[in-house]
Amino acid sequence: MTNTASRVEQAVRAALATVRPDAVDIAGSTDLARELGLDSVQVMDMVMEIEDRLDVSVPVETLADARTLDQLCAGVAKLLAKTN
């Protein structure tokens, strides 16, 4: 795992923990909405946390394309690569 990917995963997992403290140590393949039951408010709170932690703006398209934790991390990492 690259440094950026590791940093993104840590930030995403920390952001998830702020909205769902009971969701620690979940698998990357976990479906955020179906398996964790995140509602739209929780998703937006998590996205704001990710944006603050990584100083990046996460567009709606990135969220729409990401159903799992791994997909969200990949989408955010791709955004960071474009800005650096």
Side-chain angles (χ1 to χ4, degrees):
M1 183 179 295
T2 67
N3 187 35
T4 299
S6 177
R7 187 173 71 128
V8 167
E9 183 174 351
Q10 288 175 354
V12 170
R13 286 184 178 276
L16 176 60
T18 64
V19 297
R20 283 291 305 268
D22 60 326
V24 296
D25 297 327
I26 63 167
S29 61
T30 301
D31 187 298
L32 298 172
R34 191 174 40 110
E35 293 178 62
L36 288 183
L38 294 182
D39 62 29
S40 59
V41 172
Q42 289 172 311
V43 169
M44 293 312 297
D45 286 346
M46 183 176 70
V47 168
M48 287 188 296
E49 282 286 328
I50 293 167
E51 290 176 336
D52 288 346
R53 291 171 187 273
L54 297 173
D55 194 29
V56 66
S57 179
V58 179
V60 175
E61 302 85 47
T62 301
L63 293 175
D65 292 341
R67 301 206 38 86
T68 67
L69 183 70
D70 284 344
Q71 290 170 341
L72 180 57
C73 289
V76 173
K78 191 180 295 185
L79 290 171
L80 283 176
K82 287 180 184 178
T83 62
N84 291 334

